[in-house]
Amino acid sequence: MRAVLFYILACFVLAVSCTGDRMEGSTTKPDSLPILITKIQTCSRLYTTEYHVHKIITHDDELTFNGTVFGHSFNWKIPAGSRKVAIPMYATLKGFIDFSGFSADNVIRDSTHIEIILPDPQVLLTSSQIDHQRVVDRVAFLRSRFSDQELSNFERQGRQSIIESIPKLDIHERTRASAARLLVPILKQFGYREEDITISFRKALTPDSIHVIDRTDSSL
């Protein structure tokens, strides 16, 4: 199987708003860090980025005749025994950050500056489907057409291919940027100036370490 077409339409979606009401006395920083932590925890699972993926899955298989004659092996392709199929597939990916486990370990601050270390971004594959109206196949007369089970298996392999390609995308950076835009107003409510706010990921984070959840997989 190989992908012959793969393009991504990236769009920024701020699915929830967790800024809440402005606090009284927002021009001063509260002494209690738990207040700030609780405020950020209310964001819960924050979806910030949505990608729409269009992928064409191709599959070829040949009917072959093989064996051994006088100690020599052979493998012949039967001209009337090939099958080919091109399957358009659509999928939706959503990048999010789960703030439910946010704690004091995610906050570094001094008298003027505050740094928020974001929890690792995660990616949810929310949907995938085959465009059955545009499936193109070429089946030789010695072969049967592709079954629904085979097409379903190709869709599963296509989803896995999309998941494996996620580290090559910039979804973690876009998720970070969108989360920062939403967190900065919260921190400003606590009296921090925008230039004194830093939003970062943990140092060891790489695109390959992003956790991916496949909601479309019925085996999960």
Side-chain angles (χ1 to χ4, degrees), residues 34-202:
I35 298 176
L36 173 60
I37 293 173
T38 300
K39 185 79 170 178
I40 294 178
Q41 284 176 340
T42 60
C43 296
S44 187
R45 181 179 284 192
L46 177 62
Y47 292 90
T48 63
T49 310
E50 183 172 305
Y51 280 51
H52 298 282
V53 180
H54 178 206
K55 184 179 183 69
I56 294 184
I57 308 162
T58 61
H59 179 81
D60 300 349
D61 75 56
E62 303 279 350
L63 192 62
T64 60
F65 179 60
N66 56 73
T68 303
V69 176
F70 300 120
H72 298 281
S73 60
F74 63 88
N75 189 344
W76 297 333
K77 292 181 180 180
I78 300 176
S82 65
R83 294 192 306 173
K84 299 181 179 180
V85 66
I87 307 168
M89 178 178 175
Y90 298 87
T92 300
L93 302 171
K94 291 186 177 182
F96 69 94
I97 292 178
D98 187 355
F99 284 102
S100 60
F102 191 85
S103 70
D105 293 336
N106 297 91
V107 181
I108 301 173
R109 64 174 183 166
D110 55 31
S111 58
T112 59
H113 182 268
I114 186 168
E115 179 179 359
I116 300 296
I117 303 172
L118 295 175
D120 291 354
Q122 301 184 52
V123 178
L124 186 67
L125 177 57
T126 61
S127 65
S128 67
Q129 62 181 9
I130 289 176
D131 185 352
H132 292 277
Q133 299 299 319
R134 289 183 168 81
V135 172
V136 177
D137 60 2
R138 295 181 180 178
V139 182
F141 72 92
L142 291 180
R143 305 295 302 278
S144 60
R145 299 183 67 87
F146 291 96
S147 67
D148 290 340
Q149 181 62 45
E150 287 176 309
L151 294 177
S152 179
N153 288 337
F154 296 153
E155 181 182 11
R156 179 182 289 270
Q157 294 171 32
R159 289 202 309 269
Q160 185 59 37
S161 176
I162 291 172
I163 289 172
E164 291 172 356
S165 71
I166 287 174
K168 301 176 183 177
L169 309 177
D170 60 352
I171 191 167
H172 65 298
E173 286 294 342
R174 293 184 182 276
T175 300
R176 172 190 181 183
S178 297
R181 283 196 294 271
L182 212 150
L183 287 180
V184 167
I186 295 178
L187 298 172
K188 289 174 69 175
Q189 290 176 16
F190 280 77
Y192 290 98
R193 299 181 305 170
E194 189 165 345
E195 57 266 31
D196 294 327
I197 298 171
T198 301
I199 309 293
S200 63
F201 284 140
R202 64 183 175 89

